[in-house]
Structures are given as structure tokens and as C-alpha cells.
């Protein structure tokens, strides 16, 4: 489980490809290296990955072919950066919203408008997921818990404060870039339940 509060930025320092498997070695900020063990779960750009090896300030993750295809992790290159969050423990503050680290889909950035105090980003997402995107609802973007702004058609807007831009990789994004999306699980459950009930009443 994760909170959607990005704790730091990691850098890919080594990539090794095997048959239907890719291993990333990620250099972590020193503050995130305490008590790491093999088997621990760490979110990379919102994708829950399992630690397979570690030493000093780096960890490795094995990523399956399906994960590489369905998330932005398949597009990462050597020296790229990823948002990092260690898994939450019981009693931790949930500063964002509860997230699983299971990426639902990717979205494409279609517009960015920046001022000195705000960044408005418009994203386009596959139509089948838009029913879960509600004004003022929660959404996970590259592991960051964010509030949804205006929703129109297959696009929605988010607003990023300077602090979010400073502690995540979102400040480096450009129009045309893709980001990982995690739909809020409670929103998905409510929408799907209502759909089933409505469908049942029509039979």
C-alpha cells in the first residue's frame, strides 16, 4: 500500500535485459535506503516493484514483459529518473490517498500551462477509463496522489503546486510524454457497482 506522497527521485544507473524480463538498478536518495530488504515493495513512477538486490544506495527490480508493455517503465532509458515511494506501514499518515501501485493505464500529456505559482497540465486517457475520472476526485499520476480538475471528453486537467513540481519528476514532463495512471480503487468500485445495479434493473 502507498499514500501517493512521493518521497524522492531515483535514477536508473543500469539496465539488463533477459528473456521477457528487464532488470533496473536504481540509485536511491540516502534517506530512502534505511531498512531495505529483499522482497520489499517500492513504487517506481507509481508501479509497485519488488526489491531483488540492494547495497549501499542502490536497489534492483525485475520487471516482467507485461508491466513493461502496460506502463511507462518500458520506455525508460539509462540515467532516466523515477518517482520513488517506500510502501506505507500501519500508523503512517495518509497524506494523499490509498494507492496499490497497480497501474491502470497510461495517459498522454496534451497541454502544459505554467506560471510562477502553478502548473496546469491536461492529459488524454483511453476512453474506457474516463468514467472513473471525476471532478475533485483522486487520481494517481506517476505515483503522485493528485486532485482532478476540469474533465472534458477523454481529457482531464490537474494543477500542480511548486512543492509537487520540486519533489517529483512531473516538472520535467513535456507535451507528448506519457505518464502512469492509477485509478482510485474506491471510485472504481462505486462506479462499477452503480453500473451493475442500473443494468440489473433494466432486465
Amino acid at each position: 500500500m502507498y499514500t501517493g506522497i512521493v518521497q524522492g527521485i531515483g535514477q536508473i544507473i543500469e539496465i539488463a535485459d533477459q528473456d521477457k524480463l528487464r532488470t533496473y538498478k536504481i540509485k536511491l536518495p540516502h534517506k530512502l535506503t534505511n531498512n531495505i530488504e529483499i522482497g520489499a515493495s517500492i513504487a517506481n513512477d507509481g508501479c509497485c516493484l519488488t526489491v531483488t538486490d540492494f547495497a549501499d544506495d542502490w536497489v534492483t527490480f525485475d520487471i516482467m514483459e507485461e508491466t513493461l508493455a502496460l506502463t511507462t517503465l518500458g520506455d525508460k532509458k539509462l540515467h532516466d529518473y523515477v518517482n520513488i515511494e517506500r510502501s506505507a506501514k500501519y500508523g503512517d499518515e495518509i497524506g494523499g490517498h490509498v494507492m496499490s501501485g497497480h497501474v491502470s493505464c497510461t495517459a498522454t500529456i496534451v497541454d502544459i500551462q505554467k506560471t510562477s505559482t502553478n502548473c496546469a497540465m491536461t492529459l488524454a486517457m483511453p476512453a474506457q477509463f474516463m468514467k472513473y475520472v471525476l471532478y475533485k476526485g483522486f487520481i494517481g499520476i506517476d505515483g503522485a496522489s493528485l486532485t482532478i480538475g476540469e474533465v472534458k471528453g477523454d481529457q482531464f486537467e490537474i494543477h500542480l503546486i511548486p512543492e509537487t513540481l520540486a519533489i517529483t519528476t512531473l516538472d520535467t514532463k513535456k507535451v507528448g510524454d506519457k505518464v502512469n495512471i492509477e485509478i482510485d480503487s474506491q471510485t472504481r468500485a462505486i462506479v462499477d457497482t452503480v453500473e451493475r445495479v442500473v443494468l440489473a434493473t433494466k432486465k
Side-chain angles (χ1 to χ4, degrees):
M1 185 183 78
Y2 303 94
T3 69
I5 302 300
V6 174
Q7 297 169 325
I9 295 174
Q11 185 178 32
I12 300 172
I13 58 174
E14 188 176 306
I15 299 175
D17 283 316
Q18 305 172 58
D19 183 34
K20 298 183 179 180
L21 185 75
R22 177 173 295 172
T23 300
Y24 283 155
K25 179 184 283 188
I26 308 285
K27 183 177 181 180
L28 296 179
H30 180 71
K31 65 180 180 179
L32 298 182
T33 60
N34 291 335
N35 301 317
I36 286 181
E37 57 186 30
I38 292 175
S41 296
I42 299 179
N44 289 243
D45 272 356
C47 185
C48 177
L49 300 178
T50 301
V51 174
T52 56
D53 195 9
F54 68 94
D56 299 324
D57 62 350
W58 59 261
V59 293
T60 62
F61 304 98
D62 289 339
I63 308 173
M64 300 298 293
E65 190 175 45
E66 182 178 6
T67 302
L68 293 171
L70 295 179
T71 73
T72 62
L73 294 181
D75 299 324
K76 296 297 182 184
K77 299 177 177 60
L78 194 64
H79 306 309
D80 280 353
Y81 293 91
V82 291
N83 292 328
I84 297 291
E85 183 186 351
R86 299 282 301 270
S87 57
K89 299 179 177 64
Y90 284 109
D92 285 352
E93 178 182 351
I94 307 297
H97 72 282
V98 175
M99 295 172 62
S100 66
H102 298 164
V103 173
S104 308
C105 64
T106 60
T108 302
I109 299 170
V110 296
D111 186 59
I112 299 174
Q113 298 293 328
K114 284 187 177 181
T115 69
S116 60
T117 58
N118 179 63
C119 173
M121 192 177 289
T122 304
L123 302 100
M125 201 162 70
Q128 66 265 35
F129 293 100
M130 286 303 299
K131 62 184 178 181
Y132 306 117
V133 180
L134 307 175
Y135 177 64
K136 295 299 183 183
F138 293 123
I139 196 163
I141 298 181
D142 274 356
S145 171
L146 297 169
T147 302
I148 299 164
E150 183 180 4
V151 180
K152 186 179 296 184
D154 66 348
Q155 298 183 3
F156 66 96
E157 193 173 72
I158 56 170
H159 293 270
L160 305 169
I161 61 172
E163 175 66 11
T164 302
L165 295 173
I167 65 173
T168 72
T169 62
L170 293 174
D171 193 37
T172 66
K173 300 300 181 183
K174 306 180 297 296
V175 170
D177 285 351
K178 291 185 176 182
V179 292
N180 291 326
I181 297 292
E182 181 178 332
I183 299 297
D184 176 48
S185 59
Q186 293 186 53
T187 301
R188 183 193 288 267
I190 292 169
V191 171
D192 288 349
T193 299
V194 170
E195 281 189 343
R196 285 196 297 270
V197 171
V198 170
L199 184 61
T201 60
K202 291 181 178 180
K203 291 183 178 179

